[in-house]
Amino acid sequence: MKAVIAFIFVAVFAAIASAAPVRVSQSSPGKATPDDRARQWLTLLDDGDYGRSWQESGKALRSREDAASWTSRIKAMREPLGAMASRNLRLIELVNSEKVVVRYDSVFAHKATAQETVTLGLENGGWAVIDYALK
């Protein structure tokens, strides 16, 4: 059943994306699809703006880790990889009605194959990043 729901979820977002691209500004994350919001947030990491990535994350992430430790940990994780070269959507998995996992196959200047996982939760009617992992 979960696989069917996930398939439907991905199919709906693919149809929406192909029919009419969604334009999202920093001030309107509620109108973003999970992929849009994850990419918007990942751009902050790509730009080295780790403090702002923490500020724009969801309550669940911010309650687990303060801004200073987040910045230190993410900086140590990302900076050795070098610049972002490419990021391709691998899958969007609907965990439940309020949580989505988005996975990307990513390439960095100093790491040819990586997988980024961004978990988003619904907050105030929009998607907010609540976890990030890099393998």
Side-chain angles (χ1 to χ4, degrees):
M1 183 69 173
K2 272 188 168 181
V4 172
I5 293 170
F7 176 79
I8 292 169
F9 185 77
V10 170
V12 167
F13 278 107
I16 292 169
S18 65
V22 177
R23 300 281 181 212
V24 180
S25 70
Q26 290 289 351
S27 63
S28 62
K31 295 181 181 167
T33 67
D35 179 41
D36 290 334
R37 183 63 188 130
R39 286 178 187 273
Q40 182 184 56
W41 184 85
L42 285 166
T43 298
L44 298 172
L45 297 186
D46 297 342
D47 293 343
D49 199 348
Y50 310 123
R52 187 164 173 201
S53 72
W54 182 85
Q55 291 172 343
E56 291 196 15
S57 65
K59 293 175 192 173
L61 189 151
R62 291 190 321 268
S63 68
R64 277 193 320 268
E65 191 167 15
D66 65 38
S69 72
W70 167 262
T71 298
S72 176
R73 186 171 66 83
I74 296 301
K75 183 176 181 179
M77 180 190 303
R78 289 291 301 258
E79 287 192 355
L81 302 176
M84 164 55 57
S86 69
R87 179 177 288 124
N88 295 304
L89 180 63
R90 182 176 187 169
L91 73 93
I92 298 174
E93 179 183 355
L94 179 63
V95 176
N96 59 44
S97 63
E98 296 183 1
K99 189 174 181 181
V100 175
V101 175
V102 184
R103 288 195 176 91
Y104 300 95
D105 292 322
S106 302
V107 176
F108 294 89
H110 305 298
K111 186 166 178 72
T113 58
Q115 184 179 59
E116 292 179 288
T117 303
V118 181
T119 305
L120 301 106
L122 277 178
E123 286 185 16
N124 302 320
W127 294 108
V129 175
I130 58 173
D131 199 18
Y132 172 74
L134 175 68
K135 293 182 183 182

